Amino acid sequence: MFDEPTEDPTEHPSDPADRAREKSDEFRMHAELAAVFEGHRKFEAQILPGLDPQLARDIQRSMGRLEKAKAAEHPVLPEQSDTEAAGLLTLPNTRGLSTNDYHIHRRPGEVMIVRWVAGDQVETFYERIQAHFDAALNGYREEERQAHEWKQDPGTLAYLAALDAVEVKIPDRYLRDVIRKHNVFVLSTQTADEINISYLSDHIMGVSPADIVGTASAPPDEPAERDLAWFFKLFSLRGIAEGIEQMCFFTYLQKSDDTFDGEG
């Protein structure tokens, strides 16, 4: 995941606008990943293992119920889920937990990470995710133009034009105005069957894999590909609770193809 070869536009007969949208969606997901997990490296967020196991499971179950409650075609939660969604967003107040930091519960082969942001931290999150998206898209546009524009074939030029036409305002895509105007709660998810744990920890978070998954589950010094592969699912819950714009990011990581000994 994430290490993708440069594409040749002439090899893809699909509609240029569709391909440009697919690339835009890819960059948006990468931007979300960066904005959610760069807190330690960019904003002095702490890595805090020791999250109460029961609370971690309760959050996991609540996120699962909310995901099942919403319609498949859009991320807005139904009104009957408002109480549970608000309860998740306000856990820092009710349970004495810090915002911005990464609260971690882990056992060998399984990790849960919870991060809350509120108020000005939400504003910073949107600024960062937009900046990551814009940088990725603009860089890709330039690379594709330098690599392929000289060919001057219609398919290539159409794809480059479609890329130039892409414009995504992340707050709009994440329904920020809808949340504010209509006081609704929104839940979106991002899933990867395999994510490189070293990419997530070293490159994005600026910490070692052991800091995230524990020493028992960390890859060896010379890892094989299977040592780095973890199932990944990110839940992004957004809304207004107690009069404050808030977000809760719950991440579930699982390495299910090995047996671990010891505690992380």
Side-chain angles (χ1 to χ4, degrees):
M1 183 180 181
F2 305 122
D3 296 327
E4 298 180 1
T6 302
E7 296 180 1
D8 182 346
T10 61
E11 295 177 357
H12 299 269
S14 58
D15 180 72
D18 289 341
R19 289 185 51 229
R21 280 192 295 271
E22 288 176 3
K23 205 66 184 177
S24 171
D25 286 342
E26 176 189 319
F27 291 143
R28 178 176 54 81
M29 290 188 292
H30 287 208
E32 180 180 44
L33 195 72
V36 170
F37 289 102
E38 70 179 359
H40 175 76
R41 187 166 51 84
K42 290 289 187 179
F43 302 107
E44 300 181 345
Q46 298 182 76
I47 307 297
L48 300 174
L51 178 66
D52 179 73
Q54 186 58 54
L55 178 58
R57 293 295 179 192
D58 289 345
I59 294 171
Q60 181 187 29
R61 284 191 285 267
S62 289
M63 288 292 187
R65 283 193 294 268
L66 293 177
E67 184 181 26
K68 290 179 181 179
K70 73 179 183 68
E73 63 271 15
H74 63 77
V76 177
L77 292 169
E79 188 175 348
Q80 58 266 32
S81 296
D82 284 1
T83 299
E84 185 161 28
L88 283 173
L89 291 176
T90 56
L91 276 173
N93 289 340
T94 59
R95 297 296 295 264
L97 299 165
S98 57
T99 61
N100 189 46
D101 298 327
Y102 298 91
H103 300 270
I104 299 176
H105 165 64
R106 64 194 181 205
R107 61 181 187 174
E110 182 183 63
V111 179
M112 299 182 201
I113 307 171
V114 193
R115 185 189 187 204
W116 289 272
V117 295
D120 291 343
Q121 295 166 351
V122 174
E123 191 68 41
T124 299
F125 172 82
Y126 278 115
E127 290 173 357
R128 293 297 297 169
I129 191 174
Q130 186 72 59
H132 284 298
F133 175 83
D134 291 343
L137 179 61
N138 291 335
Y140 180 74
R141 283 169 172 159
E142 184 61 25
E143 289 173 2
E144 291 297 287
R145 193 168 298 283
Q146 290 183 4
H148 302 295
E149 188 175 33
W150 63 271
K151 299 174 184 177
Q152 291 296 304
D153 67 271
T156 296
L157 296 177
Y159 180 54
L160 295 175
L163 284 174
D164 286 341
V166 170
E167 182 178 2
V168 176
K169 301 298 183 185
I170 298 294
D172 294 344
R173 187 66 183 262
Y174 281 67
L175 304 181
R176 192 180 189 190
D177 283 345
V178 174
I179 291 169
R180 288 168 153 181
K181 291 177 182 178
H182 301 285
N183 198 28
V184 296
F185 295 91
V186 173
L187 177 68
S188 58
T189 62
Q190 182 180 158
T191 305
D193 289 336
E194 290 186 354
I195 190 171
N196 184 317
I197 195 62
S198 289
Y199 177 90
L200 179 64
S201 59
D202 295 336
H203 182 73
I204 299 180
M205 300 186 75
V207 298
S208 72
D211 290 326
I212 304 303
V213 303
T215 55
S217 303
D221 292 339
E222 297 182 5
E225 186 173 336
R226 69 182 185 90
D227 296 320
L228 301 171
W230 286 67
F231 171 81
F232 169 93
K233 186 163 186 176
L234 170 66
F235 296 79
S236 171
L237 176 64
R238 312 182 288 279
I240 307 291
E242 298 181 344
I244 301 171
E245 187 175 12
Q246 306 194 47
M247 294 177 165
C248 176
F249 303 107
F250 174 79
T251 305
Y252 181 79
L253 289 159
Q254 184 178 53
K255 186 150 185 48
S256 58
D257 60 340
D258 283 317
T259 300
F260 295 96
D261 296 317
E263 294 297 330

